[in-house]
Amino acid sequence: MQKAAIIGGGVIGAGWAARFLLHGWQVHFYDPSPAALEVVNRVVKTAARWVPEIYDHLPPRGELIIAPTLAEAVAEAEWIQESVPERLPIKHATLAEIQAACSVGAVIGSSTSGFMPSELQQDALRPEQILVAHPYNPVYLLPIVECVPSSVNTAAVTDRAMSLLTKIGMKPVLLKAEVPAHVGDRLLEALWREALWLIKDGVATTEQIDDIMTHGFGLRWAQKGLFETYRVAGGTAGMRHFLEQFGPCLQWPWTKLMDVPDLDDQLISRIVEQSDAQAAGRSVSELEAERDANLVALLKALRTENAAAGAFLNQLAITGD
Amino acid sequence: MQKAAIIGGGVIGAGWAARFLLHGWQVHFYDPSPAALEVVNRVVKTAARWVPEIYDHLPPRGELIIAPTLAEAVAEAEWIQESVPERLPIKHATLAEIQAACSVGAVIGSSTSGFMPSELQQDALRPEQILVAHPYNPVYLLPIVECVPSSVNTAAVTDRAMSLLTKIGMKPVLLKAEVPAHVGDRLLEALWREALWLIKDGVATTEQIDDIMTHGFGLRWAQKGLFETYRVAGGTAGMRHFLEQFGPCLQWPWTKLMDVPDLDDQLISRIVEQSDAQAAGRSVSELEAERDANLVALLKALRTENAAAGAFLNQLAITGD
């Protein structure tokens, strides 16, 4: 049985623990706070209710071991996931303690959303062993994990990380450069700022903004991202035509956020090339049919959601916070 | 049988036609271009394949009538939807032609994404009859429609619009103020700008950004919007605590977009209040269970998507563009 060490509880650490356990790994959990134990037990219980519904087959559940010390947790672990609070001195101290006790061959992933791998690696014993593996909540269900190496990480380490994360049902994306907040949180932050303006200016309420998302582009983005959606929107005229039309709009006063990128020919070409590669030969009609099939499946699925949630709540006898 | 007039083809106008038809309305379609007819026939055929899967019961399909003139299309229509090109003189000329021939009691919705209702209403015969009804593509599947009145629209007109759009399976959201690009496209624009920076700076490819969306926050936002997601993330500590923590982050250099709103106590209070109202007494545990049930349903649904899309393509013998 493969062994993972989860260092730092909270919702993110507990979510990692649940994901590894349900994919058959032995999980050694360490957090000095007694409250962390309660969180991990609750999250594992919740994950065990939902995760098996996604898979036709899962291996027998692994064993959760509450480690008395960090050193005992990380000894012999293949994967060590650090999810301690987002303060750099705490990260550095924890990573030093991990490296003093763990195997040289282990991969150390950090759940950090705010720090770049090169910052985490400062003064580390073996900086090449540490990279960012940034998941999204709930970790046991959402497949995405952003893998961010710095220039000191070798391909052997990133390959190992990508392969291992795939085996626990994740969709790891290996970023090409380190930037503050990686990719997903930068996108979220931009949208969040605009949403705050809309609230502040009284254009819409939180509920209206949420409704516009869940009944609109949320359904889009659960199955086609921004670029593939625009690719479909461009139709047979193509991505380049679509982008060229879009250029002037970027200068319009739609958002309160300024300093827009220059959508010049070089950038257009790069996006066209990458979008072509991404389509991998599929026609717009094919992409459109995929999109429609997805949307139908999602809309049908959402109709049964409340009954399932209600049944689960009754089963756990949860009536409030 | 209720009668709708669709003025202006293209993907959006055709999507409106399909939605009305499949909800049992008689649709009078007008566009001077012969190409528009081809689009509407294709979109109606596609919509007829997918829309019935979402509903247990639909009324018998309405009749599609290709009107020889705009005046004949709009005569006696209860709802008139304008989807002509996004240039204000064209919009004004079309709206004038519509109002010269339509019933005084009809509602005239415009699909515009770029113009505010007060701009459309300039010099109109009956400005109070015109409002923005901005849908998202594909109109026959995505339920969202932003209803934007100006100060001259009466409650009677907006009430009628909201009620009628609900009856054709939509989720109309009545905005509280008119701003350029309404709400959804402002949010999309903010995220889009940041995505362009990430591409330009070589941090990630279009495919990686799409993967991060579809396997991450897209799945979130198909069933819980930004604010409700953050409400769940805040847990029992509450929305205020969550927002207070978030304030300083807005000043961090995460995005390339500057000019951030001041997340002061007044704004925090407003968001807290609106979020409380939105939760309508549901606890964080309840919201969390809803979220999980949703995500499972979506993830299960997405597993079968390609087979359905492939079968549909074979049935139509579509092999390319």
Side-chain angles (χ1 to χ4, degrees):
Chain A
M1 193 182 282
Q2 291 182 284
K3 180 178 164 183
I6 303 300
I7 307 303
V11 170
I12 297 297
W16 277 108
R19 181 173 277 279
F20 275 107
L21 282 170
L22 290 163
H23 284 82
W25 286 54
Q26 192 179 74
V27 171
H28 293 242
F29 180 85
Y30 176 75
D31 189 304
S33 156
L37 202 56
E38 202 183 302
V39 173
V40 78
N41 283 328
R42 182 176 63 78
V43 170
V44 167
K45 193 172 179 180
T46 304
R49 162 66 183 82
W50 297 116
V51 175
E53 295 213 19
I54 309 174
Y55 297 94
D56 291 328
H57 174 74
L58 276 178
R61 200 204 291 195
E63 190 187 3
L64 176 64
I65 293 162
I66 308 303
T69 65
L70 185 149
E72 284 168 87
V74 302
E76 292 162 42
E78 264 184 70
W79 184 276
I80 299 152
Q81 186 69 27
E82 170 277 302
S83 309
V84 301
E86 288 282 281
R87 290 195 290 281
L88 199 51
I90 300 180
K91 297 280 192 196
H92 282 157
T94 305
L95 290 166
E97 218 183 322
I98 290 169
Q99 292 203 311
C102 77
S103 146
V104 174
V107 178
I108 304 173
S110 171
S111 301
T112 185
S113 54
F115 297 110
M116 296 189 285
S118 60
E119 294 174 290
L120 299 175
Q121 291 162 351
Q122 279 158 18
D123 303 320
L125 190 62
R126 296 179 297 273
E128 68 281 4
Q129 190 177 20
I130 301 166
L131 45 66
V132 168
H134 176 241
Y136 285 76
N137 189 42
V139 182
Y140 52 88
L141 285 180
L142 285 188
I144 196 65
V145 55
E146 292 170 307
C147 269
V148 196
S150 77
S151 57
V152 309
N153 295 105
T154 60
V157 169
T158 55
D159 287 354
R160 212 156 151 238
M162 294 292 285
S163 153
L164 200 147
L165 292 167
T166 304
K167 282 180 190 153
I168 57 166
M170 301 192 94
K171 172 76 184 179
V173 172
L174 186 65
L175 300 191
K176 295 146 68 90
E178 55 172 6
V179 286
H182 326 313
V183 164
D185 279 341
R186 293 178 75 95
L187 298 172
L188 291 176
E189 178 83 356
L191 189 141
W192 171 238
R193 285 182 183 179
E194 187 62 24
L196 289 175
W197 275 116
L198 291 166
I199 299 284
K200 192 180 177 74
D201 291 349
V203 176
T205 65
T206 58
E207 182 163 2
Q208 288 183 313
I209 291 176
D210 278 0
D211 276 342
I212 288 166
M213 296 173 75
T214 54
H215 294 77
F217 57 80
L219 286 169
R220 280 190 186 159
W221 291 346
Q223 38 83 43
K224 293 277 180 227
L226 185 63
F227 290 96
E228 205 159 46
T229 296
Y230 284 159
R231 186 182 181 87
V232 172
T236 50
M239 191 74 174
R240 177 177 296 276
H241 178 71
F242 180 82
L243 290 170
E244 281 167 352
Q245 281 189 309
F246 219 125
C249 309
L250 283 177
Q251 309 300 331
W252 294 353
W254 280 8
T255 62
K256 292 227 174 178
L257 307 164
M258 290 297 130
D259 189 17
V260 301
D262 189 9
L263 190 57
D264 57 15
D265 199 61
Q266 196 185 354
L267 179 53
I268 287 180
S269 294
R270 188 183 288 194
I271 296 174
V272 168
E273 274 167 34
Q274 293 181 355
S275 177
D276 286 349
Q278 185 178 352
R282 286 169 301 160
S283 70
V284 170
S285 296
E286 285 171 303
L287 292 172
E288 196 176 52
E290 283 179 28
R291 180 200 65 189
D292 284 359
N294 281 332
L295 286 173
V296 167
L298 294 182
L299 289 165
K300 286 171 73 175
L302 286 169
R303 284 168 56 206
T304 57
E305 126 266 313
N306 284 324
F312 178 49
L313 287 169
N314 288 338
Q315 180 192 320
L316 293 189
I318 291 173
T319 53
D321 290 316
Chain B
M1 193 181 283
Q2 292 182 283
K3 180 176 164 184
I6 303 300
I7 307 303
V11 170
I12 297 296
W16 277 108
R19 180 174 279 279
F20 275 106
L21 282 171
L22 290 163
H23 283 83
W25 286 54
Q26 191 179 73
V27 171
H28 293 243
F29 179 85
Y30 176 75
D31 188 304
S33 157
L37 203 57
E38 202 183 303
V39 173
V40 78
N41 283 328
R42 183 176 61 78
V43 170
V44 168
K45 192 172 179 181
T46 304
R49 163 64 183 83
W50 297 116
V51 175
E53 296 213 19
I54 309 174
Y55 298 94
D56 290 330
H57 174 73
L58 276 177
R61 201 205 289 197
E63 190 187 2
L64 177 64
I65 293 161
I66 308 303
T69 64
L70 185 147
E72 285 168 88
V74 303
E76 293 163 40
E78 263 183 72
W79 184 274
I80 298 151
Q81 186 69 26
E82 171 277 302
S83 310
V84 302
E86 289 281 281
R87 288 194 291 282
L88 200 51
I90 300 180
K91 297 281 190 196
H92 282 158
T94 305
L95 290 167
E97 217 183 323
I98 290 170
Q99 291 203 311
C102 76
S103 147
V104 174
V107 178
I108 305 174
S110 171
S111 302
T112 185
S113 54
F115 296 111
M116 297 188 284
S118 61
E119 295 174 291
L120 299 175
Q121 291 163 351
Q122 279 157 17
D123 303 320
L125 189 62
R126 296 179 296 273
E128 68 281 4
Q129 190 177 20
I130 302 166
L131 44 66
V132 168
H134 176 242
Y136 286 76
N137 189 43
V139 182
Y140 51 87
L141 284 180
L142 286 188
I144 196 66
V145 55
E146 292 170 307
C147 269
V148 196
S150 78
S151 56
V152 308
N153 295 106
T154 59
V157 168
T158 55
D159 286 354
R160 212 158 150 236
M162 294 292 285
S163 154
L164 200 148
L165 292 167
T166 303
K167 282 179 190 154
I168 57 166
M170 301 192 93
K171 172 76 185 178
V173 171
L174 185 65
L175 300 192
K176 295 145 70 87
E178 55 171 7
V179 287
H182 326 312
V183 163
D185 278 342
R186 292 178 76 94
L187 298 173
L188 290 176
E189 177 83 355
L191 189 141
W192 171 238
R193 286 183 182 177
E194 186 63 24
L196 289 175
W197 275 117
L198 290 166
I199 299 284
K200 192 179 176 75
D201 291 349
V203 175
T205 65
T206 59
E207 182 164 3
Q208 288 183 312
I209 290 175
D210 278 0
D211 277 342
I212 289 166
M213 295 173 76
T214 53
H215 294 77
F217 56 81
L219 287 168
R220 280 188 187 163
W221 291 346
Q223 38 84 43
K224 295 277 179 224
L226 186 63
F227 289 97
E228 204 158 48
T229 295
Y230 284 159
R231 187 181 181 87
V232 173
T236 50
M239 192 75 173
R240 177 178 295 276
H241 177 71
F242 180 81
L243 289 170
E244 281 167 352
Q245 282 188 309
F246 219 126
C249 308
L250 283 176
Q251 308 300 332
W252 295 354
W254 279 10
T255 63
K256 292 227 176 179
L257 306 166
M258 290 296 127
D259 189 17
V260 300
D262 189 10
L263 189 57
D264 56 16
D265 198 60
Q266 196 186 355
L267 179 53
I268 287 180
S269 294
R270 188 183 290 195
I271 296 173
V272 168
E273 273 166 36
Q274 293 181 353
S275 176
D276 285 350
Q278 184 178 353
R282 287 168 300 160
S283 70
V284 169
S285 296
E286 284 171 303
L287 292 171
E288 195 176 53
E290 282 178 30
R291 178 200 67 190
D292 284 359
N294 280 333
L295 287 173
V296 168
L298 295 181
L299 289 165
K300 285 170 75 174
L302 286 169
R303 284 168 56 206
T304 58
E305 122 269 311
N306 284 324
F312 177 50
L313 287 168
N314 287 337
Q315 180 193 320
L316 293 189
I318 291 173
T319 53
D321 290 315

